Amino acid sequence: MIAPDAAGLADLVGGRLVPAAGGTAPAPLTGVATVDSRTVQPGDLFVALPGEHADGLDFAAAALAAGAAAVLAEREPDGPLDGPVVVVGVGVAALTALAAAHHADLRSRGLRTVGITGSAGKTTTKDLLAEVLRQGLPGGTVVATHGSYNNEIGLPLTVLRAGTATRVLVLEMGARGPGHVRHLCEVARPDVAVVLGVGSAHLGEFGSREAIALAKGELVEALDASRPGSVAVLGGDDPVVRAMASRTTAPAVLVGEGEGTQVRALDVDLDADARLRFDLLDARPAAAPGQAPVPVRLGLVGEQHLVNALAAAAAALELGLPPEVVARALGEARPASRHRMEVVDRPDGIRVVDDAYNASPEAVAAALRALAHMGRSARPPRRTWAVLGEMLELGEHSRVEHDRVGRLAVRLNIDRLVAVGQGALHYDQGATQEGSWGEESVLVDDIDAARRLLADELRPGDVVLLKASNSVGLWRLADELARGGSPASPAAAQADPPGAPPRTAHPDEEPPR
């Protein structure tokens, strides 16, 4: 870390040092921890953030006992502690300042930083790119965002995990409003800025797709065109994203299937399990002349992963990896973050497709198309179930977007639609009003009711998709079904989803996006 010890940290962030009880000599800071005192490693700085229901300072003694070298807090502890405390006005601001200084130092030593944003696919693209880089950069280290921890707390924590041996830092960048991506870029300025697409996710917060585009485009505006290797990687099949090339003086690489895209997918197809196959063409000006396309066979499920894979490929190519290495690594990658199109084939022949981490209209539509493809491509065809919870953060657009998804389920000939909870009412209404269904669509009160219905009616050979916004909690039912349908224990029902950001001493923070 850029701060050598608690005293140096206090100087860096403008804090006040409260010495350890008994005048213990300051220990060197070698890492950082927050969220959960149980994750503390010896030498860590424990960042004790306050929350609505708990205060991280309440866990400072446990963190110090686990080996933390110092604590960063917004107030003095109530009693003496066996380690120094740096008291600051705003803990997140101090964490941000520390991370920004650390990143600037590493950047001056040659660190390359990739920032990834978009309405959907950020986490998958981040995971794909990190896997490709880890395979293609022997001897180098890659640090990437954990799960979807992509906000004003998660991004600084990721930056502070990087060290002098880190060659590439891969950062997912989320936004809940204008200026959020710009702020994250002030912490860690990108060398490669990846914008995937602009969709309907978080319309309730932004108000319009135009406002979303303005916010996401802040990433390309942060590029320093004078720094060698700075480049924007843009979803070229989305005209709104394509237009972002005008918002930076750095070069842009367009990815997609359409004319003018420079990292392009040819002969795109889905296998029987809805996994993508395509040929990857590197038509960038920097590519070797006459280079032939290379085949890619993704292990990920769903057509929505095409832009994610192409964006990861383009970023890796810009970082110097050859197309053959990129294609092979993409084919070997598997879902690294939980509840994102995870497929489990149970011994009884039921297939569970768990995509319950998050939901937007575009993402639900893509998941439904993958489900329909699995059903009709099987021999004999398989019965398909779509178990859908509410898509949150759509604001005034919520009713029409849920209605559209319900109608799409009918058009795709999904056999059964289960709308879970009153927030999902308009899935059921849209499906019913589409006119071609009888009792194929049903609205159930809650997850328990959905559980009972599936227990009674699922049959060997069925394929069941579960998708909803994360806080709906449908991932719990997905986990149960993947295990074979056994009821969850009360403890399991209350647990966070595996792979989600750990619980924190800042419990009122919403799940990062």
Side-chain angles (χ1 to χ4, degrees):
M1 281 176 48
I2 194 72
D5 54 27
L9 174 65
D11 289 340
L12 178 64
V13 301
R16 178 168 52 86
L17 179 63
V18 178
T24 305
L29 297 173
T30 57
V32 64
T34 186
V35 176
D36 189 338
S37 60
R38 293 169 294 182
T39 67
V40 169
Q41 299 295 317
D44 277 352
L45 167 69
F46 180 63
V47 182
L49 299 175
E52 182 179 349
H53 304 294
D55 188 336
L57 197 55
D58 296 337
F59 305 96
L64 291 166
V71 175
L72 181 73
E74 294 184 359
R75 62 177 178 86
E76 287 195 30
D78 296 329
L81 292 175
D82 293 330
V85 178
V86 176
V87 181
V88 295
V90 180
V92 174
L95 179 65
T96 296
L98 179 62
H102 185 62
H103 184 266
D105 178 64
L106 294 179
R107 196 168 191 249
S108 70
R109 301 169 187 260
L111 175 74
R112 303 291 300 281
T113 300
V114 181
I116 301 173
T117 196
S119 293
K122 296 184 292 296
T123 300
T124 297
T125 304
K126 174 263 302 179
D127 289 339
L128 284 173
L129 178 58
E131 179 60 26
V132 171
L133 293 175
R134 286 176 181 130
Q135 291 196 34
L137 294 177
T141 60
V142 178
V143 171
T145 302
H146 170 76
S148 295
Y149 211 33
N150 59 22
N151 64 7
E152 68 277 7
I153 297 173
L155 184 135
L157 289 173
T158 305
V159 170
L160 289 166
R161 284 171 43 213
T164 54
T166 306
R167 293 178 60 182
V168 182
L169 181 60
V170 182
L171 297 173
E172 181 179 332
M173 295 186 176
R176 295 174 183 153
H180 288 190
V181 171
R182 183 181 302 113
H183 167 74
L184 297 178
C185 291
E186 290 168 353
V187 180
R189 192 167 188 176
D191 298 296
V192 180
V194 179
V195 185
L196 300 166
V198 173
S200 304
H202 315 311
L203 270 174
E205 296 172 325
F206 286 93
S208 68
R209 290 186 77 240
E210 291 75 17
I212 296 172
L214 284 173
K216 300 298 184 183
E218 293 168 1
L219 182 60
V220 302
E221 293 175 347
L223 289 168
D224 178 3
S226 67
R227 182 173 164 93
S230 291
V231 63
V233 174
L234 304 175
D237 293 336
D238 183 334
V240 175
V241 177
R242 193 180 187 120
M244 291 180 189
S246 65
R247 294 171 63 177
T248 178
T249 55
V253 172
L254 303 178
V255 305
E257 297 180 80
E259 289 298 320
T261 54
Q262 295 144 315
V263 176
R264 189 179 310 163
L266 306 175
D267 299 326
V268 179
D269 191 20
L270 290 175
D271 68 15
D273 292 322
R275 291 182 168 90
L276 276 167
R277 302 176 295 194
F278 63 93
D279 291 335
L280 174 66
L281 174 66
D282 181 9
R284 298 171 303 131
Q291 188 166 260
V294 291
V296 176
R297 303 293 181 264
L298 284 185
L300 306 182
V301 172
E303 63 185 30
Q304 70 272 26
H305 293 309
L306 182 62
V307 68
N308 304 334
L310 290 173
L317 292 168
E318 288 292 326
L319 290 168
L321 272 64
E324 296 78 10
V325 171
V326 172
R328 184 183 68 249
L330 285 174
E332 293 175 1
R334 294 296 182 268
S337 297
R338 292 294 320 276
H339 306 287
R340 292 169 174 85
M341 293 303 284
E342 286 187 86
V343 176
V344 174
D345 286 313
R346 295 184 355 182
D348 62 3
I350 292 172
R351 171 172 289 181
V352 179
V353 183
D354 174 5
D355 198 30
Y357 182 81
N358 220 332
S360 67
E362 293 83 6
V364 177
L368 286 174
R369 288 192 289 269
L371 174 67
H373 183 86
M374 289 181 192
R376 67 173 176 263
S377 298
R379 293 293 178 268
R382 306 177 71 160
R383 190 169 63 154
T384 51
W385 291 73
V387 182
L388 305 180
E390 184 178 2
M391 300 180 290
L392 301 174
E393 300 174 352
L394 294 176
E396 64 183 17
H397 305 273
S398 179
R399 177 171 183 166
V400 67
E401 294 295 350
H402 285 84
D403 179 271
R404 285 175 179 168
V405 167
R407 293 174 186 271
L408 178 63
V410 176
R411 295 169 191 155
L412 291 172
N413 292 317
I414 303 301
D415 293 299
R416 296 293 306 273
L417 172 63
V418 182
V420 183
Q422 285 302 307
L425 167 67
H426 298 294
Y427 289 137
D428 179 57
Q429 290 188 345
T432 302
Q433 292 170 7
E434 185 64 15
S436 61
W437 271 11
E439 298 179 355
E440 291 93 340
S441 178
V442 60
L443 174 69
V444 298
D445 290 336
D446 52 29
I447 293 174
D448 284 339
R451 178 185 293 110
R452 292 191 295 270
L453 174 67
L454 295 173
D456 289 341
E457 299 193 24
L458 277 182
R459 300 290 181 265
D462 288 358
V463 186
V464 54
L465 165 73
L466 299 100
K467 188 159 185 64
S469 288
N470 187 46
S471 59
V472 171
L474 202 56
W475 54 265
R476 296 184 177 94
L477 178 55
D479 277 348
E480 292 177 33
L481 290 173
R483 290 194 301 265
S486 59
S489 67
Q494 294 301 317
D496 282 332
R503 286 189 183 271
T504 121
H506 192 70
D508 55 322
E509 182 190 359
E510 292 190 15
R513 309 179 185 86

